[in-house]
Structure formats: structure tokens, C-alpha cells
Amino acid sequence: MEIIQRKILSVIQKQLHKGKVIILYGARRTGKTTLVKTLVEDKLASAAYFNCELQENQELLSHTNSVLLRDFVGKNKLIILDEAQHLHNIGLILKVLVDTFPSTQFIATGSSSFELSNQIAEPLTGRSRQFHLFPFSLEEIYQNQNLIQIKSGLPNYLRFGLYPQVYMTEGEEKVEELIDISNNYLYKDILQLDSVKKPDILQKLLKAIALQLGSESSINELAQLTGSNVHTINRYLDLLEKSFVIFRLSAFSRNLRKEINKSQKIYFYDLGIRNAIIRNFSPLDVRLDVGGLWENFCISERLKYNHNNRRFVNTYFWRTYDQQEIDYIEEVDGKFHCFEFKYTLHTKSKFPKIFQETYPESAFKVISPENFYELAGLG
């Protein structure tokens, strides 16, 4: 089987034993357990792994008694708490652990940041480093494939996404895996919350977002489409974002009265999940949503590249009321790098003159299947 080294692994390894708890977030089935077990294997004699979904492990860590915790830690120099959101008072427990056992490295993973981050924010102030594990990135695939192979695989990535198990399977098995993930894992953490009383609205909301791919999303319109209200939609969007199903891009506005400044676009971390939600895995040549798929794909790949390479940038899209637009903008050290995404180059894209004049020293590039590697850090 093809082995793909996760880019974030080397980043995490450099942060070990620096007195910080490592928090690894990510959706279910993106490979968090595989990654942390790699760390355990590297230090097998002095490392321990605990699956916190298991009742017996929850009971082991149901307290903050330092004497009992000393027995739990033992002589281990590395301890993994996988799916740590299942532990009550996880933030306080991690605080006591890192303060009491400074020579031991603690790593906690979570598939739902809304529970884990809410519990750790205050107790672990100044005591943690946080990372995100995404589905495979092109940069990771590039370890085993050349640019020609990756380019030929683009249609599949746009149809089936890059969840590890989906990527590793062939043909119709990809669809089976995606349906399994979307049916059994996608909402698992969200639906356990008492605040989610209408899972049917959650599913309607996801479908509405999926069908608006590449377009601006109106909260009022989403509320109407799902038969809900603005408050519920905002709350569900927040939960979907914090459980790593979707992410949002806000509108950029600084100087121009014509700039739209209160809008947002919603994208999926993985297009296979998006296509599973609407049950459409058709080939690209018979689809009407290729433009939206390509835009989502490019932006999500850039998001992975930035995170995995620790590039901390501000990101936006831009549009004016007279329909001038830029798909994606990165602000780096006060300068703007602008991108337009075109799967086919039938029409020529131009850098909006008014943006150039208002924000001088901005750069503009069109990203197509001919030069996609520039966006994803390949080559």
C-alpha cells in the first residue's frame, strides 16, 4: 500500500518536549490516530496511547488528583490522548498533567474543536500548540507521484476528494467510503450536542450550501431554504465549521464604497464529502458545477498548504456592487496576492483595474489545471 507521510508530522515533531501540550484537531477519518501512533512507535519503550472513547480510559482520567495521575503517567515520556473531547474537564486535566510532569510530552487529539477548544482555552493559556490535520494535500501526494500523474488525477480529486481511505481505494469503492463517512461520521460529534435538536435542518443546510458552491451565501436565504431562522443557521454553521466540515471566507473591504463588506462564501474541506451530500459523483464533462468545484478545490488546497507550512496569512474574496470580483486574496505583510480560478481558459481573466489602483503593489494570477502546482507548493 502507498505510504504518504503527513506534512504536519515533522512540524509536530519539532514542537515536542518544549513544555507545551500538543493539540491535534481534525475531522474523523482524516488519519489523526495513524499519525499519533507513528509518534508512539518512534518512542515505543517510553510512550503510551489511550483511546478516550473507551470507558475504562475515561475513568482513568476522571480526576485531577496528582498522586493518581502520577501512577497513570508512570515512566512514559510521551502520552497520547486520542479523541480527548470525551474526557470531562479535559482542559483542567491537561493543565495539571503538563504542570506536574514537565518532562512528559502530552498530545491530545480531537475530531470536534467546539468541545475540546472550549474546555482547553482558559486552562491551557500559554501551555499549548494547536495543529489541524486535513485530508491529504497535493503536497503530500507529491511525495509519491510526479506532476503529470497528479494532473491526470485532478478530475478524481474534484469528484471524490482526498480523505485518506477514499484516496487509497479504487473505482466504486470510493463512493462506498464517502457515503459511509457522510452517513456515519460527518455529524457524529455535532448530533451528540443537546443544542442540536433538529438534525433534518442540519442536513438541509449542508445540501443548500453544497448547491451554492462558489457563490456568496446569505444567512437569510439559507434560513428560508431550510425552513429555519437566522439564529439557528448561524449556530449550525458555527458547529459545522468547528467540526471541520466547512470553512468560510469573508469579503475584503478597506477603501471603496462599492466594495461588498458583509458577505461570505462557504466551502467544504473535502469535495468528496460535498458530492456525497448531494449524491453526485458524475464525471466533470457532464457537470454544471465544475467552476465551483475547481474554486473550492484550489482554496482548500491553499488552506492546507498554508497551515502545513506555517504560513499565517489573512484570506478573503473580493467583489464590488457592479460585479467586479476576485476569487481569493491572501494578505501577506500588508501586500495582496490575488487569484482567479479557471478550470477551463475559454475566457481571459483580467485583474480588476480599480483594485490595482486602490491597492497598489498587488499581484494577480490565474490558476488553472495548467499551473495548479504553483498554488499547492509543488515543483
Side-chain angles (χ1 to χ4, degrees):
M1 180 182 287
E2 183 179 350
I3 302 298
I4 294 181
Q5 182 84 15
R6 305 312 300 267
K7 187 77 191 293
I8 204 69
L9 177 62
S10 61
V11 179
I12 291 173
Q13 287 171 325
K14 291 176 183 177
Q15 294 293 325
L16 296 178
H17 300 291
K18 292 186 177 181
K20 306 285 186 181
V21 176
I22 301 293
I23 308 294
L24 180 63
Y25 293 122
R28 291 178 182 271
R29 304 288 292 275
T30 51
K32 298 187 303 300
T33 299
T34 301
L35 187 148
V36 294
K37 283 187 174 180
T38 300
L39 295 170
V40 171
E41 289 166 4
D42 289 344
K43 302 179 182 294
L44 199 56
S46 59
Y49 167 88
F50 297 92
N51 179 355
C52 298
E53 289 186 295
L54 300 178
Q55 183 67 35
E56 57 264 36
N57 290 333
Q58 293 173 20
E59 291 173 358
L60 281 174
L61 289 163
S62 61
H63 53 80
T64 54
N65 183 301
S66 60
V67 175
L68 295 176
L69 288 176
R70 191 174 301 278
D71 187 54
F72 169 77
V73 173
K75 296 181 180 180
N76 289 306
K77 297 301 179 185
L78 173 68
I79 288 183
I80 308 289
L81 303 177
D82 201 8
E83 299 296 348
Q85 73 269 16
H86 293 283
L87 297 177
H88 182 61
N89 286 333
I90 178 60
L92 186 58
I93 289 168
L94 287 172
K95 176 183 181 297
V96 173
L97 285 171
V98 72
D99 288 348
T100 309
F101 310 100
S103 62
T104 299
Q105 176 65 61
F106 298 95
I107 299 179
T109 80
S111 58
S112 52
S113 72
F114 48 83
E115 286 188 20
L116 198 52
S117 62
N118 287 345
Q119 291 186 50
I120 69 171
E122 188 174 339
L124 287 185
T125 299
R127 294 180 174 88
S128 69
R129 289 284 182 269
Q130 300 184 17
F131 302 95
H132 189 152
L133 186 66
F134 300 97
F136 285 152
S137 67
L138 293 185
E139 190 179 21
E140 290 168 333
I141 293 172
Y142 187 54
Q143 299 169 63
N144 297 39
Q145 295 191 11
N146 59 39
L147 287 177
I148 295 174
Q149 291 172 311
I150 291 177
K151 181 180 178 181
S152 69
L154 287 177
N156 268 347
Y157 307 153
L158 267 63
R159 292 171 64 197
F160 304 114
L162 288 167
Y163 264 74
Q165 195 60 41
V166 176
Y167 175 80
M168 296 295 186
T169 56
E170 299 293 334
E172 291 304 311
E173 279 300 305
K174 289 182 181 293
V175 176
E176 294 287 344
E177 283 291 338
L178 282 167
I179 297 299
D180 181 48
I181 293 170
S182 65
N183 284 350
N184 300 321
Y185 294 93
L186 198 60
Y187 319 111
K188 185 173 181 179
D189 295 311
I190 302 175
L191 294 180
Q192 289 175 352
L193 297 176
D194 291 337
S195 60
V196 179
K197 302 184 185 301
K198 297 180 179 179
D200 57 319
I201 289 180
L202 192 69
Q203 291 164 354
K204 286 179 183 177
L205 176 60
L206 273 172
K207 188 170 183 179
I209 296 168
L211 293 172
Q212 292 182 359
L213 197 65
S215 302
E216 291 169 52
S217 295
S218 160
I219 302 298
N220 288 324
E221 183 183 353
L222 290 173
Q224 290 175 357
L225 288 170
T226 57
S228 185
N229 58 67
V230 169
H231 174 74
T232 298
I233 294 303
N234 273 321
R235 186 157 51 84
Y236 282 15
L237 285 174
D238 187 53
L239 292 176
L240 287 168
E241 194 164 23
K242 289 179 177 176
S243 57
F244 314 109
V245 180
I246 61 170
F247 63 94
R248 289 182 266 191
L249 202 61
S250 58
F252 173 84
S253 176
R254 296 281 170 85
N255 295 318
L256 296 174
R257 291 181 64 186
K258 292 182 178 180
E259 288 175 332
I260 291 173
N261 60 9
K262 292 184 179 179
S263 189
Q264 64 179 354
K265 287 189 175 184
I266 303 174
Y267 299 97
F268 286 81
Y269 278 109
D270 187 80
L271 285 173
I273 294 298
R274 181 266 180 178
N275 291 332
I277 289 167
I278 62 171
R279 298 297 194 263
N280 184 356
F281 299 100
S282 301
L284 299 189
D285 58 1
V286 297
R287 300 183 74 121
L288 300 176
D289 57 359
V290 175
L293 289 172
W294 182 244
E295 181 178 319
N296 192 138
F297 178 75
C298 289
I299 293 174
S300 63
E301 280 303 311
R302 188 64 171 182
L303 182 152
K304 296 173 193 176
Y305 173 75
N306 285 340
H307 181 80
N308 291 341
N309 291 278
R310 316 313 287 156
R311 294 184 73 246
F312 302 104
V313 302
N314 295 318
T315 59
Y316 315 92
F317 75 95
W318 177 82
R319 186 168 74 81
T320 63
Y321 286 103
D322 54 0
Q323 303 304 313
Q324 296 190 70
E325 60 184 324
I326 297 171
D327 289 336
Y328 176 71
I329 299 172
E330 285 184 357
E331 183 182 10
V332 184
D333 298 328
K335 295 185 179 180
F336 303 108
H337 301 262
C338 307
F339 299 89
E340 189 75 16
F341 304 118
K342 297 287 185 184
Y343 190 72
T344 56
L345 295 172
H346 294 315
T347 57
K348 191 171 182 179
S349 296
K350 293 182 179 180
F351 192 6
K353 187 176 180 180
I354 192 171
F355 192 95
Q356 288 179 277
E357 293 173 347
T358 309
Y359 309 104
E361 296 188 49
S362 299
F364 179 75
K365 183 168 287 186
V366 179
I367 301 296
S368 74
E370 298 305 314
N371 67 341
F372 70 94
Y373 53 86
E374 296 179 22
L375 191 79
L378 311 186

